[in-house]
Coordinates of all heavy atoms in Angstrom, one line a residue:
M9 N 124.2 208.4 237.2 CA 123.3 207.6 236.4 C 124.2 206.4 235.8 O 125.3 206.6 235.4 CB 122.7 208.4 235.2 CG 122.0 207.4 234.3 SD 121.1 208.0 232.8 CE 121.7 209.5 232.3
L10 N 123.7 205.3 235.9 CA 124.3 204.1 235.4 C 123.7 203.7 234.1 O 122.5 203.5 234.0 CB 124.2 202.9 236.4 CG 124.8 201.6 236.0 CD1 126.3 201.7 235.9 CD2 124.5 200.6 237.0
V11 N 124.5 203.5 233.1 CA 124.0 203.0 231.8 C 124.7 201.7 231.4 O 126.0 201.6 231.5 CB 124.4 204.1 230.7 CG1 123.9 203.5 229.3 CG2 123.7 205.4 231.0
L12 N 123.9 200.7 231.1 CA 124.5 199.4 230.7 C 124.2 199.2 229.2 O 123.0 199.4 228.8 CB 123.8 198.3 231.5 CG 124.2 196.9 231.1 CD1 125.7 196.6 231.4 CD2 123.3 195.9 231.9
V13 N 125.2 198.9 228.5 CA 125.1 198.7 227.1 C 125.5 197.2 226.8 O 126.7 196.9 227.2 CB 125.9 199.7 226.2 CG1 125.8 199.3 224.8 CG2 125.5 201.1 226.5
L14 N 124.7 196.5 226.2 CA 125.0 195.1 225.9 C 124.8 195.0 224.4 O 123.8 195.3 223.8 CB 124.1 194.1 226.6 CG 124.2 192.7 226.3 CD1 125.6 192.2 226.7 CD2 123.1 191.9 227.0
V15 N 125.9 194.5 223.7 CA 125.8 194.3 222.3 C 125.9 192.9 222.0 O 126.8 192.2 222.4 CB 127.0 195.1 221.6 CG1 127.0 194.8 220.1 CG2 127.0 196.6 222.0
L16 N 124.9 192.4 221.2 CA 124.8 191.0 220.8 C 124.8 191.1 219.3 O 124.2 191.9 218.6 CB 123.6 190.3 221.3 CG 123.4 190.2 222.8 CD1 122.0 189.7 223.1 CD2 124.5 189.4 223.4
A17 N 125.5 190.1 218.7 CA 125.5 190.1 217.2 C 125.3 188.6 216.8 O 125.8 187.7 217.4 CB 126.9 190.5 216.7
A18 N 124.5 188.5 215.7 CA 124.2 187.2 215.1 C 123.9 187.4 213.7 O 123.3 188.4 213.3 CB 123.1 186.6 215.9
R19 N 124.2 186.4 212.9 CA 123.8 186.4 211.5 C 122.3 186.1 211.4 O 121.8 185.2 212.1 CB 124.6 185.4 210.7 CG 126.0 185.7 210.6 CD 126.8 184.6 209.9 NE 126.1 184.1 208.7 CZ 126.6 183.2 207.9 NH1 127.8 182.7 208.1 NH2 125.9 182.7 206.9
S20 N 121.6 186.8 210.6 CA 120.2 186.6 210.5 C 119.8 185.3 209.9 O 118.7 184.8 210.1 CB 119.5 187.8 209.7 OG 120.1 187.8 208.4
D21 N 120.7 184.7 209.2 CA 120.4 183.4 208.5 C 121.1 182.2 209.1 O 121.3 181.2 208.5 CB 120.8 183.5 207.0 CG 122.3 183.7 206.8 OD1 123.0 184.1 207.8 OD2 122.8 183.5 205.7
S22 N 121.5 182.4 210.4 CA 122.4 181.4 211.0 C 121.6 180.1 211.4 O 122.1 179.0 211.3 CB 123.0 181.9 212.3 OG 122.1 182.3 213.3
G23 N 120.3 180.3 211.7 CA 119.5 179.1 212.1 C 120.0 178.3 213.3 O 119.8 177.1 213.4
T24 N 120.7 179.0 214.2 CA 121.2 178.4 215.4 C 120.1 178.2 216.5 O 119.0 178.7 216.4 CB 122.3 179.2 216.1 OG1 121.8 180.4 216.6 CG2 123.4 179.6 215.1
Q25 N 120.4 177.4 217.5 CA 119.5 177.1 218.6 C 119.3 178.4 219.4 O 118.3 178.5 220.1 CB 120.0 176.0 219.5 CG 120.0 174.7 218.8 CD 120.6 173.6 219.7 OE1 121.2 173.9 220.7 NE2 120.4 172.4 219.3
A26 N 120.2 179.4 219.3 CA 120.1 180.6 220.1 C 119.1 181.6 219.4 O 118.8 182.6 220.1 CB 121.5 181.3 220.2
E27 N 118.7 181.3 218.2 CA 117.8 182.3 217.5 C 116.6 182.6 218.3 O 116.2 183.8 218.4 CB 117.5 181.7 216.1 CG 117.1 182.8 215.2 CD 117.1 182.4 213.8 OE1 118.1 181.8 213.3 OE2 116.1 182.5 213.1
P28 N 115.8 181.7 218.9 CA 114.6 182.1 219.6 C 115.0 183.0 220.8 O 114.2 183.9 221.1 CB 114.1 180.7 220.1 CG 114.6 179.7 219.2 CD 115.9 180.2 218.8
L29 N 116.1 182.7 221.5 CA 116.5 183.6 222.6 C 116.8 185.0 222.1 O 116.4 186.0 222.8 CB 117.7 182.9 223.3 CG 118.2 183.7 224.5 CD1 117.2 184.0 225.6 CD2 119.5 183.0 225.1
L30 N 117.6 185.1 221.0 CA 117.9 186.4 220.5 C 116.6 187.1 220.1 O 116.6 188.4 220.3 CB 118.8 186.2 219.3 CG 120.2 185.7 219.6 CD1 121.0 185.4 218.3 CD2 121.0 186.7 220.5
E31 N 115.7 186.5 219.5 CA 114.4 187.1 219.2 C 113.7 187.6 220.4 O 113.1 188.7 220.4 CB 113.5 186.2 218.4 CG 114.0 185.9 217.0 CD 113.2 184.9 216.2 OE1 112.1 184.5 216.7 OE2 113.6 184.5 215.1
Q32 N 113.7 186.8 221.5 CA 113.1 187.2 222.7 C 113.8 188.5 223.3 O 113.1 189.4 223.8 CB 113.1 186.1 223.7 CG 112.4 186.4 225.0 CD 112.5 185.2 226.0 OE1 113.1 184.2 225.7 NE2 111.9 185.4 227.1
I33 N 115.1 188.5 223.3 CA 115.9 189.6 223.8 C 115.6 190.9 222.9 O 115.3 192.0 223.4 CB 117.4 189.3 223.8 CG1 117.7 188.3 224.8 CG2 118.2 190.6 224.0 CD1 119.1 187.7 224.7
A34 N 115.5 190.7 221.6 CA 115.3 191.8 220.7 C 113.9 192.4 220.9 O 113.7 193.6 220.6 CB 115.5 191.4 219.2
G35 N 113.0 191.6 221.4 CA 111.6 192.1 221.6 C 111.4 192.9 222.9 O 110.3 193.3 223.1
Q36 N 112.4 193.0 223.7 CA 112.3 193.7 224.9 C 112.1 195.2 224.7 O 112.6 195.8 223.7 CB 113.5 193.5 225.8 CG 113.7 192.1 226.3 CD 112.5 191.6 227.0 OE1 112.1 192.1 228.0 NE2 112.0 190.4 226.6
P37 N 111.3 195.9 225.5 CA 110.9 197.3 225.3 C 112.1 198.3 225.1 O 112.1 199.2 224.3 CB 110.1 197.7 226.5 CG 109.8 196.5 227.2 CD 110.7 195.4 226.7
D38 N 113.2 198.1 225.9 CA 114.3 199.0 225.8 C 115.4 198.5 224.9 O 116.5 199.0 224.9 CB 114.9 199.2 227.2 CG 114.0 200.0 228.1 OD1 113.2 200.8 227.6 OD2 114.0 199.7 229.3
C39 N 115.1 197.5 224.1 CA 116.1 196.9 223.2 C 116.0 197.7 221.9 O 114.9 197.9 221.4 CB 115.9 195.4 223.0 SG 117.1 194.7 222.0
L40 N 117.1 198.0 221.3 CA 117.2 198.6 220.0 C 117.9 197.8 219.0 O 119.2 197.8 218.9 CB 117.9 200.0 220.1 CG 118.0 200.8 218.8 CD1 116.7 201.1 218.2 CD2 118.8 202.1 219.1
P41 N 117.2 197.0 218.2 CA 117.9 196.2 217.2 C 118.4 197.1 216.1 O 117.7 198.0 215.7 CB 116.8 195.2 216.7 CG 115.7 195.3 217.7 CD 115.8 196.6 218.3
V42 N 119.6 196.8 215.6 CA 120.2 197.6 214.6 C 120.7 196.7 213.5 O 121.5 195.8 213.7 CB 121.4 198.5 215.1 CG1 122.1 199.2 214.0 CG2 121.0 199.4 216.2
G43 N 120.2 196.8 212.3 CA 120.6 196.0 211.2 C 121.7 196.7 210.5 O 121.7 198.0 210.4
L44 N 122.7 196.0 210.1 CA 123.8 196.6 209.4 C 123.6 196.5 207.9 O 123.2 195.5 207.3 CB 125.1 195.8 209.7 CG 125.5 195.9 211.2 CD1 126.8 195.0 211.4 CD2 125.8 197.3 211.6
P45 N 123.9 197.6 207.1 CA 123.7 197.5 205.7 C 124.8 196.7 205.1 O 125.9 196.5 205.6 CB 123.8 199.0 205.3 CG 124.6 199.7 206.3 CD 124.3 198.9 207.6
A46 N 124.6 196.3 203.8 CA 125.6 195.6 203.1 C 126.8 196.6 202.8 O 126.6 197.8 202.7 CB 125.0 195.1 201.8
L47 N 127.9 196.0 202.6 CA 129.1 196.8 202.2 C 128.9 197.2 200.8 O 128.4 196.5 199.9 CB 130.4 196.0 202.3 CG 130.8 195.5 203.7 CD1 132.1 194.6 203.6 CD2 131.0 196.6 204.6
G48 N 129.5 198.4 200.5 CA 129.5 198.9 199.1 C 130.6 198.2 198.3 O 131.4 197.6 198.9
A49 N 130.6 198.5 197.0 CA 131.5 197.8 196.1 C 133.0 198.2 196.5 O 133.9 197.4 196.4 CB 131.2 198.2 194.7
D50 N 133.2 199.5 196.9 CA 134.6 199.9 197.3 C 135.0 199.1 198.5 O 136.2 198.7 198.6 CB 134.6 201.4 197.5 CG 134.5 202.2 196.2 OD1 134.7 201.6 195.2 OD2 134.1 203.4 196.3
S51 N 134.2 198.9 199.5 CA 134.5 198.2 200.7 C 134.8 196.8 200.4 O 135.8 196.2 200.9 CB 133.4 198.4 201.8 OG 133.3 199.7 202.1
V52 N 134.0 196.1 199.6 CA 134.2 194.8 199.2 C 135.6 194.7 198.5 O 136.4 193.7 198.7 CB 133.1 194.2 198.3 CG1 133.5 192.9 197.7 CG2 131.8 194.1 199.1
A53 N 135.9 195.6 197.6 CA 137.1 195.6 196.9 C 138.3 195.7 197.8 O 139.3 194.9 197.7 CB 137.2 196.8 195.9
R54 N 138.2 196.5 198.9 CA 139.3 196.6 199.9 C 139.5 195.2 200.6 O 140.6 194.8 200.8 CB 139.1 197.7 200.8 CG 139.4 199.1 200.3 CD 139.4 200.2 201.4 NE 138.2 200.3 202.0 CZ 137.2 201.1 201.6 NH1 137.3 201.8 200.5 NH2 136.1 201.3 202.3
L55 N 138.4 194.6 201.0 CA 138.5 193.3 201.7 C 139.1 192.2 200.8 O 139.9 191.5 201.2 CB 137.1 192.8 202.1 CG 136.5 193.4 203.4 CD1 135.1 192.9 203.6 CD2 137.4 193.1 204.6
V56 N 138.7 192.2 199.5 CA 139.2 191.2 198.6 C 140.7 191.4 198.4 O 141.5 190.5 198.5 CB 138.4 191.2 197.2 CG1 139.1 190.4 196.2 CG2 137.0 190.8 197.4
R57 N 141.1 192.7 198.1 CA 142.5 192.9 197.9 C 143.3 192.7 199.2 O 144.4 192.1 199.1 CB 142.6 194.4 197.5 CG 142.1 194.6 196.0 CD 142.3 196.0 195.5 NE 141.8 196.1 194.2 CZ 140.8 196.9 193.8 NH1 140.2 197.6 194.7 NH2 140.4 196.9 192.6
A58 N 142.8 193.0 200.3 CA 143.5 192.7 201.6 C 143.7 191.2 201.8 O 144.7 190.7 202.3 CB 142.8 193.4 202.8
S59 N 142.6 190.5 201.5 CA 142.6 189.0 201.6 C 143.6 188.3 200.7 O 144.3 187.4 201.1 CB 141.3 188.4 201.4 OG 140.4 188.9 202.4
L60 N 143.7 188.9 199.5 CA 144.6 188.3 198.5 C 146.1 188.7 198.8 O 147.0 188.1 198.3 CB 144.2 188.7 197.1 CG 142.9 188.1 196.5 CD1 142.6 188.8 195.2 CD2 143.1 186.6 196.4
G61 N 146.2 189.9 199.4 CA 147.6 190.4 199.7 C 148.2 191.0 198.5 O 149.4 191.1 198.4
Q62 N 147.4 191.3 197.5 CA 147.9 191.9 196.2 C 146.7 192.5 195.5 O 145.6 192.4 196.0 CB 148.5 190.8 195.3 CG 147.4 189.7 194.9 CD 148.0 188.6 194.2 OE1 149.2 188.3 194.3 NE2 147.2 187.8 193.5
E63 N 147.0 193.2 194.5 CA 146.0 193.9 193.7 C 145.2 192.8 193.0 O 145.7 191.7 192.6 CB 146.6 194.8 192.7 CG 147.0 196.1 193.3 CD 145.9 196.9 194.0 OE1 144.9 197.1 193.4 OE2 146.1 197.3 195.1
A64 N 143.9 193.0 192.8 CA 143.1 192.0 192.1 C 142.5 192.7 190.9 O 142.4 193.9 190.8 CB 141.9 191.6 193.0
E65 N 142.3 191.9 189.9 CA 141.7 192.5 188.6 C 140.4 193.1 188.9 O 139.6 192.6 189.7 CB 141.5 191.3 187.6 CG 142.8 190.7 187.1 CD 143.6 191.7 186.2 OE1 143.0 192.5 185.5 OE2 144.8 191.7 186.3
P66 N 140.1 194.3 188.3 CA 138.8 194.9 188.6 C 137.6 194.1 188.3 O 136.6 194.1 189.1 CB 138.8 196.1 187.7 CG 140.3 196.4 187.4 CD 141.0 195.1 187.5
R67 N 137.6 193.3 187.3 CA 136.5 192.4 187.0 C 136.3 191.3 188.1 O 135.2 191.0 188.4 CB 136.7 191.7 185.6 CG 135.6 190.7 185.2 CD 134.4 191.4 184.8 NE 133.4 190.4 184.5 CZ 132.2 190.4 185.0 NH1 131.8 191.3 185.9 NH2 131.3 189.4 184.7
F68 N 137.4 190.8 188.6 CA 137.3 189.8 189.7 C 136.6 190.5 190.9 O 135.7 189.9 191.6 CB 138.7 189.3 190.1 CG 138.7 188.4 191.3 CD1 138.1 187.1 191.2 CD2 139.2 188.8 192.5 CE1 138.1 186.2 192.2 CE2 139.2 187.9 193.6 CZ 138.7 186.6 193.4
V69 N 137.0 191.7 191.2 CA 136.5 192.4 192.4 C 135.0 192.7 192.2 O 134.2 192.5 193.1 CB 137.2 193.8 192.6 CG1 136.6 194.6 193.7 CG2 138.7 193.5 193.0
T70 N 134.6 193.0 191.0 CA 133.2 193.3 190.6 C 132.4 192.0 190.8 O 131.3 192.0 191.4 CB 133.1 193.8 189.2 OG1 133.8 195.0 189.1 CG2 131.6 194.0 188.8
V71 N 132.9 190.9 190.4 CA 132.2 189.6 190.5 C 132.1 189.2 192.0 O 131.1 188.8 192.4 CB 133.0 188.5 189.7 CG1 132.4 187.1 190.1 CG2 132.8 188.7 188.2
C72 N 133.1 189.5 192.8 CA 133.1 189.2 194.2 C 132.0 190.1 194.9 O 131.3 189.6 195.7 CB 134.4 189.5 194.9 SG 135.7 188.2 194.5
A73 N 132.0 191.3 194.5 CA 131.0 192.2 195.1 C 129.5 191.8 194.8 O 128.7 191.8 195.6 CB 131.2 193.7 194.6
E74 N 129.3 191.3 193.5 CA 128.0 190.8 193.1 C 127.7 189.5 193.8 O 126.6 189.3 194.3 CB 128.0 190.7 191.6 CG 128.0 192.0 190.9 CD 128.2 191.8 189.4 OE1 128.3 190.6 188.9 OE2 128.2 192.8 188.7
A75 N 128.6 188.6 193.9 CA 128.4 187.3 194.5 C 128.2 187.4 196.0 O 127.3 186.6 196.5 CB 129.6 186.4 194.2
T76 N 128.9 188.2 196.7 CA 128.7 188.3 198.1 C 127.6 189.2 198.6 O 127.2 189.2 199.7 CB 130.0 188.8 198.8 OG1 130.3 190.1 198.3 CG2 131.2 187.9 198.4
Q77 N 127.1 190.0 197.7 CA 126.0 191.0 198.0 C 126.4 191.9 199.2 O 125.6 192.2 200.0 CB 124.7 190.3 198.2 CG 124.2 189.6 197.0 CD 122.9 188.9 197.2 OE1 122.4 188.9 198.3 NE2 122.4 188.3 196.1
G78 N 127.7 192.2 199.3 CA 128.2 193.1 200.3 C 128.3 192.4 201.7 O 128.6 193.1 202.7
N79 N 128.3 191.1 201.8 CA 128.4 190.4 203.0 C 129.9 190.3 203.3 O 130.6 189.6 202.6 CB 127.8 189.0 203.0 CG 127.9 188.3 204.3 OD1 128.8 188.4 205.0 ND2 126.9 187.4 204.5
P80 N 130.4 190.9 204.4 CA 131.9 190.9 204.6 C 132.4 189.5 205.0 O 133.6 189.2 204.6 CB 132.1 191.9 205.8 CG 130.7 192.0 206.4 CD 129.7 191.8 205.4
S81 N 131.6 188.7 205.6 CA 132.1 187.3 205.8 C 132.3 186.5 204.6 O 133.3 185.7 204.5 CB 131.0 186.5 206.7 OG 130.9 187.1 207.9
L82 N 131.6 186.8 203.5 CA 131.8 186.1 202.3 C 132.8 186.8 201.4 O 133.4 186.2 200.6 CB 130.4 186.1 201.5 CG 129.3 185.3 202.2 CD1 128.0 185.4 201.4 CD2 129.7 183.9 202.4
A83 N 133.0 188.1 201.6 CA 134.0 188.9 200.8 C 135.4 188.6 201.2 O 136.3 188.8 200.4 CB 133.7 190.4 200.9
R84 N 135.7 188.1 202.4 CA 137.0 187.8 202.8 C 137.4 186.4 202.2 O 136.8 185.4 202.4 CB 137.1 187.7 204.3 CG 137.1 189.1 204.9 CD 137.3 189.0 206.4 NE 137.0 190.2 207.1 CZ 135.8 190.4 207.7 NH1 134.9 189.5 207.7 NH2 135.6 191.5 208.2
C85 N 138.5 186.4 201.5 CA 139.0 185.1 201.0 C 139.7 184.4 202.1 O 140.4 185.0 203.0 CB 140.0 185.4 199.9 SG 139.3 186.2 198.4
R86 N 139.6 183.2 202.2 CA 140.1 182.4 203.3 C 141.3 181.5 202.8 O 141.5 180.4 203.2 CB 139.1 181.5 203.9 CG 137.9 182.2 204.4 CD 137.8 182.2 205.9 NE 136.5 182.7 206.3 CZ 136.3 183.9 206.7 NH1 137.2 184.8 206.6 NH2 135.1 184.3 207.2
G87 N 142.0 182.1 201.8 CA 143.2 181.4 201.3 C 142.9 180.4 200.2 O 143.8 179.8 199.7
T88 N 141.6 180.3 199.8 CA 141.3 179.3 198.8 C 140.8 180.0 197.5 O 140.7 179.4 196.5 CB 140.2 178.4 199.3 OG1 139.0 179.2 199.7 CG2 140.6 177.6 200.5
C89 N 140.5 181.3 197.6 CA 140.0 181.9 196.4 C 141.2 182.4 195.5 O 142.2 182.8 196.0 CB 139.1 183.1 196.7 SG 139.8 184.6 197.3
R90 N 141.0 182.4 194.3 CA 142.0 182.8 193.3 C 141.3 183.7 192.2 O 140.2 183.3 191.8 CB 142.8 181.7 192.7 CG 143.5 180.8 193.6 CD 144.8 181.4 194.1 NE 145.5 180.6 195.0 CZ 145.4 180.7 196.4 NH1 144.7 181.6 196.9 NH2 146.1 179.9 197.1
P91 N 141.9 184.7 191.8 CA 141.3 185.6 190.7 C 141.4 184.9 189.4 O 142.1 185.3 188.5 CB 142.1 186.8 190.8 CG 143.4 186.5 191.4 CD 143.2 185.3 192.3
R92 N 140.6 183.8 189.2 CA 140.6 183.1 187.9 C 139.2 183.0 187.4 O 139.0 182.3 186.4 CB 141.2 181.7 188.1 CG 140.5 180.9 189.1 CD 141.3 179.6 189.3 NE 141.1 179.2 190.7 CZ 140.8 178.0 191.2 NH1 140.7 177.1 190.3 NH2 140.7 177.8 192.4
C93 N 138.2 183.6 188.0 CA 136.8 183.4 187.6 C 136.5 184.4 186.4 O 135.4 184.3 185.9 CB 135.9 183.6 188.8 SG 135.9 185.3 189.4
C94 N 137.3 185.3 186.1 CA 137.0 186.3 185.1 C 137.7 186.0 183.8 O 138.8 185.7 183.7 CB 137.4 187.7 185.6 SG 136.7 187.9 187.3

């Protein structure tokens, strides 16, 4: 038996030109769309601390978790965030 698994990923709010095509693919009978849940506060804290390369103040981590709503793309600092919002 041959099994083919194809994994496609896209942000739901991307608004790209590929969105109609992705919707068409997702509507196929043998397609199983899987939504990923938001990261929990502990996971966001690990991402923030890893991005900063140091420990972060608990209040800063809490604010990041609330602001990103568990979105890992937003929880990763890209070298521009600093723990000064608290």
